[in-house]
Amino acid sequence: MLIATNQHHRSILLLCLASSITLSHGAPQQQQQQNPVYTDHYFQPSKIQKENFDPYIPRPTPIVDENIAPVEYYPSRMNEKLPDAHQLTLAEKQHYIKDAMVFAWDGYRTYSWGSDENRPVSNRPVNTRNGWGASIVDGIDTLYIMGLYGEFNEARDYIANIDWDITQDSDLVQVFETTIRYVGGLLSAYELSGDEMFVEKTVELVDRLLPAFDTPTGIPYQYVNFKTGKGVKSGFPDGASCLAELGTVQLEFTRLSEITGDWTYHHAGQRVYNTFVQLKTNQPGLFPHLINPDTGDAVGDYVSWGGMADSFYEYLIKQYVMSGGKDDRMKEMVIQSIRSMETYLIARPKGHPEIALLADLNGETQTPKMDELACFAPGNLLLAARTIPELADIEELASDMMHGCYNAWTSTRTGIAPEVFAYMDEAGNTVVGNLTGRREYLSKTYGVFPLAPSYILRPETIESIFYFYRFTRDRRYQDMAWDIFNSIHTYCRANSGFSGIDNVDAYYPNWDDRQESFFFAETLKYLYLLFDDDNDSSQQQEQLLSLNEWVLNTEAHPFKITDIVPPPTPPYKKKRAHWMDHLTVFLIHWIKLLFIPYLNLF
């Protein structure tokens, strides 16, 4: 999955939009009565025949308050736990997960259709991704994979009428989030269904994103203003672009070029790497999380495989996989980044040599904490070990890290991992000083303890478990996934969907009333596929998403692996800064020098 969500992407909860008017059902009463009533009873939704799902009721466009509002917290309730893993067949577990998808999708469809998200506690719509219906586009391939074809067709008809020029919450469109959620969702819907409409909508959208790449280095700015058609820099120092965002468009752009035959998209994504071939760092293959898009220089020296950097490294190995093992530049970058990660970022908590974790690197100093976002890494390392012979030796490290990430889940009172967890390094250092009480107990028992204790329905650990099960066929990984889903069901299932919680180590956490679109795209999809072994459709689904035939983007959208060899990317003609840009920078610099010292007088 990604940076704080979003991106994303990704470790900071985003501000969200509050709804000013509650959406009415807007459907005939007779049809409303046909909708299933969901309870926590096993298989209640599944007993309803498929024909009850197929007809769909068009929903009016929801009216959303455009004033940005903070996240609101509500008292939660615990749902009755589901049966333990050993009490259920794989088919029964998969039915439970499909029921969760239907329950959350029906809540979104009823209260928030056409908006980006449904608030699953207050039953209100909210726009966080420009108001194009992020949940619909991000979740459509999951509907198809689960066989929910009626819902898929309804989503397809909605997508066909999206006008990308109409943005609900801002004229600024974030390139990264739009690419992984919207572009990825559209392409995967085409891959699965063969419907050309999805390609047409993808081209419309990506053509509007390309101005972000019109920079002196080819590194994209963070945003595009869809009103002016111009790229817009981030609010980071020097207008820097973050590593994950600039390095997480390549799978989508390359696959779009393969489908359309227009290599403009592929070339735009690949030119980004010209800077990194030349950029010298103290840790070869690892890069600071902020890069100046005008100069290609690093901004700061903070290195991480977590938020703001994660999917940059994820896409290196996945591009190599997507190339069918033909992209030598990607192979070299993968090997170098993983070997440096082994040298500079791996840590083993004090008293727990059996688990491996990632540290952040501030200059030359390790910071003993790890984002849940970074728990994509065990699966990514295993993918690299099984794909590149020179990296076969890292499989044991990947397994130890998988164990460490899973401990972040099993150690808490809810059985859910925190947004960020910390640990005591081998020298006895922590990011919070001396450990006492609960933190000391968790550190000694599990090797980790919560640092940022919230959970926003993230999928990264589940994603790694998916790769471990697919490559090893070891049933214990299915049991691990089921325990995680059981905890999410118990603590996050709310009124019309699933909500994040504020404290994973509390007996009674509060709901945050947020259901990000990646819950449909990633969390439930990975869980569903993990149990796709012994039911009637297992052979079809295995062929559908075999890791020999498909590569999944950071939002779990599947793209086909082909034998198409892209043409060489032509040399990039660097955009020269206009003289007015230099003048503006000069004037701003002197204004700061002249007036900032006197501001404290007012």
Side-chain angles (χ1 to χ4, degrees):
M1 276 207 1
L2 277 242
I3 292 184
T5 48
N6 332 290
Q7 288 295 322
H8 273 213
H9 108 265
R10 280 185 173 189
S11 46
I12 302 173
L13 287 176
L14 298 178
L15 296 177
C16 54
L17 303 173
S19 171
S20 57
I21 299 178
T22 301
L23 179 66
S24 64
H25 288 193
Q29 184 64 28
Q30 183 178 358
Q31 290 181 320
Q32 284 287 313
Q33 291 174 348
Q34 294 178 357
N35 288 342
V37 177
Y38 301 108
T39 71
D40 289 327
H41 246 354
Y42 180 40
F43 289 152
Q44 179 69 22
S46 301
K47 291 180 180 178
I48 297 172
Q49 297 300 313
K50 185 173 183 290
E51 55 265 22
N52 286 333
F53 289 119
D54 284 349
Y56 65 82
I57 305 164
R59 301 291 182 182
T61 301
I63 302 173
V64 178
D65 184 1
E66 295 188 8
N67 294 319
I68 295 177
V71 173
E72 298 179 37
Y73 293 96
Y74 297 83
S76 69
R77 65 173 180 273
M78 287 180 58
N79 300 290
E80 184 178 353
K81 287 185 73 69
L82 301 173
D84 291 335
H86 69 277
Q87 297 176 292
L88 299 170
T89 66
L90 296 181
E92 289 172 330
K93 294 170 188 173
Q94 194 178 55
H95 273 295
Y96 267 125
I97 294 161
K98 182 175 180 178
D99 290 346
M101 177 70 181
V102 173
F103 166 70
W105 191 263
D106 187 71
Y108 168 77
R109 182 176 173 275
T110 300
Y111 298 107
S112 303
W113 183 255
S115 286
D116 291 333
E117 300 171 14
N118 176 48
R119 287 190 165 183
V121 181
S122 58
N123 303 333
R124 295 180 294 157
V126 60
N127 282 328
T128 56
R129 306 290 171 202
N130 298 102
W132 296 317
S135 289
I136 296 173
V137 184
D138 217 5
I140 189 171
D141 58 350
T142 304
L143 295 174
Y144 193 97
I145 289 167
M146 290 187 178
L148 299 170
Y149 300 117
E151 289 85 344
F152 175 88
N153 289 331
E154 177 182 22
R156 183 260 178 222
D157 290 349
Y158 173 86
I159 290 169
N161 293 299
I162 293 177
D163 185 343
W164 305 115
D165 290 327
I166 299 176
T167 55
Q168 295 295 328
D169 51 339
S170 173
D171 292 335
L172 294 181
V173 176
Q174 191 175 8
V175 176
F176 166 77
E177 294 288 357
T178 303
T179 299
I180 65 171
R181 300 191 196 218
Y182 287 108
V183 176
L186 292 167
L187 285 175
S188 62
Y190 166 73
E191 299 274 40
L192 295 170
S193 70
D195 190 333
E196 294 283 349
M197 180 277 296
F198 293 112
V199 178
E200 295 170 5
K201 299 304 289 186
T202 306
V203 170
E204 290 175 9
L205 180 56
V206 175
D207 283 348
R208 288 164 170 79
L209 296 176
L210 286 180
F213 294 80
D214 186 17
T215 69
T217 62
I219 291 175
Y221 292 153
Q222 189 173 41
Y223 302 99
V224 176
N225 186 314
F226 270 26
K227 293 295 184 185
T228 66
K230 301 292 185 181
V232 179
K233 295 180 183 180
S234 75
F236 295 120
D238 298 336
S241 298
C242 80
L243 195 62
E245 295 189 352
L246 61 89
T248 314
V249 300
Q250 287 75 15
L251 288 179
E252 295 81 0
F253 282 22
T254 294
R255 187 64 189 124
L256 180 59
S257 288
E258 290 178 347
I259 292 169
T260 63
D262 183 349
W263 293 98
T264 302
Y265 312 114
H266 170 77
H267 295 327
Q270 292 304 307
R271 288 189 186 106
V272 168
Y273 294 114
N274 293 340
T275 292
F276 294 95
V277 171
Q278 302 170 12
L279 185 61
K280 304 301 180 183
T281 66
N282 294 331
Q283 303 85 28
L286 301 178
F287 303 99
H289 71 314
L290 292 176
I291 304 293
N292 186 318
D294 290 334
T295 65
D297 296 332
V299 179
D301 56 2
Y302 195 86
V303 174
S304 174
W305 268 45
M308 300 178 67
D310 50 352
S311 49
F312 175 89
Y313 300 105
E314 175 189 356
Y315 269 36
L316 297 181
I317 179 59
K318 288 185 175 180
Q319 285 182 83
Y320 181 70
V321 171
M322 193 174 187
S323 76
K326 301 182 184 73
D327 192 332
D328 291 335
R329 179 169 71 167
M330 285 300 107
K331 179 181 179 180
E332 183 179 344
M333 292 184 73
V334 170
I335 293 174
Q336 192 173 56
S337 66
I338 290 178
R339 291 308 182 195
S340 283
M341 179 267 289
E342 285 185 285
T343 302
Y344 298 104
L345 300 183
I346 293 297
R348 294 188 183 267
K350 186 175 183 179
H352 289 274
E354 76 281 3
I355 65 175
L357 298 170
L358 287 168
D360 292 341
L361 200 62
N362 197 351
E364 301 293 330
T365 305
Q366 281 194 352
T367 303
K369 71 177 185 65
M370 183 173 177
D371 297 350
E372 201 283 332
L373 276 168
C375 283
F376 82 94
N380 206 65
L381 293 175
L382 183 61
L383 178 62
R386 293 297 181 100
T387 306
I388 301 175
E390 294 91 326
L391 293 174
D393 60 294
I394 65 168
E395 187 163 335
E396 184 177 351
L397 172 63
S399 179
D400 291 348
M401 195 182 297
M402 183 74 265
H403 184 186
C405 283
Y406 186 61
N407 276 13
W409 290 77
T410 58
S411 60
T412 68
R413 291 185 170 105
T414 61
I416 295 174
E419 183 76 4
V420 183
F421 51 92
Y423 52 91
M424 179 180 289
D425 65 21
E426 291 176 309
N429 301 311
T430 76
V431 294
V432 295
N434 293 330
L435 299 182
T436 59
R438 176 72 174 165
R439 282 176 169 171
E440 183 179 21
Y441 165 76
L442 293 176
S443 179
K444 288 181 177 180
T445 307
Y446 298 95
V448 296
F449 57 90
L451 186 62
S454 60
Y455 174 65
I456 58 171
L457 307 176
R458 288 205 185 277
E460 285 74 22
T461 301
I462 304 168
E463 173 186 351
S464 283
I465 292 173
F466 166 78
Y467 282 98
F468 268 81
Y469 179 69
R470 278 296 182 92
F471 281 119
T472 69
R473 294 295 173 180
D474 188 333
R475 296 287 188 187
R476 64 176 170 153
Y477 293 113
Q478 290 179 315
D479 291 345
M480 291 162 64
W482 179 252
D483 289 344
I484 287 174
F485 174 69
N486 210 339
S487 294
I488 293 172
H489 165 86
T490 302
Y491 291 96
C492 299
R493 182 166 172 144
N495 298 330
S496 58
F498 288 76
S499 170
I501 55 178
D502 67 339
N503 190 344
V504 297
D505 202 38
Y507 289 112
Y508 302 101
N510 292 312
W511 282 327
D512 68 5
D513 201 19
R514 287 291 307 277
Q515 181 180 263
E516 284 270 4
S517 65
F518 59 67
F519 181 68
F520 294 125
E522 298 183 75
T523 308
L524 292 177
K525 183 187 294 160
Y526 281 127
L527 285 165
Y528 183 83
L529 292 172
L530 267 158
F531 300 103
D532 199 42
D533 275 349
D534 66 352
N535 59 51
D536 293 337
S537 64
S538 62
Q539 185 175 0
Q540 176 188 357
Q541 294 291 344
E542 187 65 39
Q543 292 173 350
L544 178 65
L545 292 182
S546 166
L547 295 180
N548 294 321
E549 300 173 7
W550 297 81
V551 62
L552 281 72
N553 85 335
T554 194
E555 200 79 357
H557 296 306
F559 304 148
K560 289 179 181 177
I561 299 171
T562 72
D563 57 2
I564 300 173
V565 179
T569 298
Y572 181 54
K573 295 180 180 179
K574 292 187 176 182
K575 174 186 173 184
R576 293 186 177 182
H578 193 271
W579 67 270
M580 283 294 293
D581 296 331
H582 292 297
L583 179 60
T584 301
V585 172
F586 176 80
L587 291 174
I588 291 174
H589 176 73
W590 279 101
I591 288 172
K592 288 180 179 179
L593 289 177
L594 291 172
F595 291 103
I596 287 181
Y598 301 100
L599 291 179
N600 59 359
L601 299 178
F602 297 93

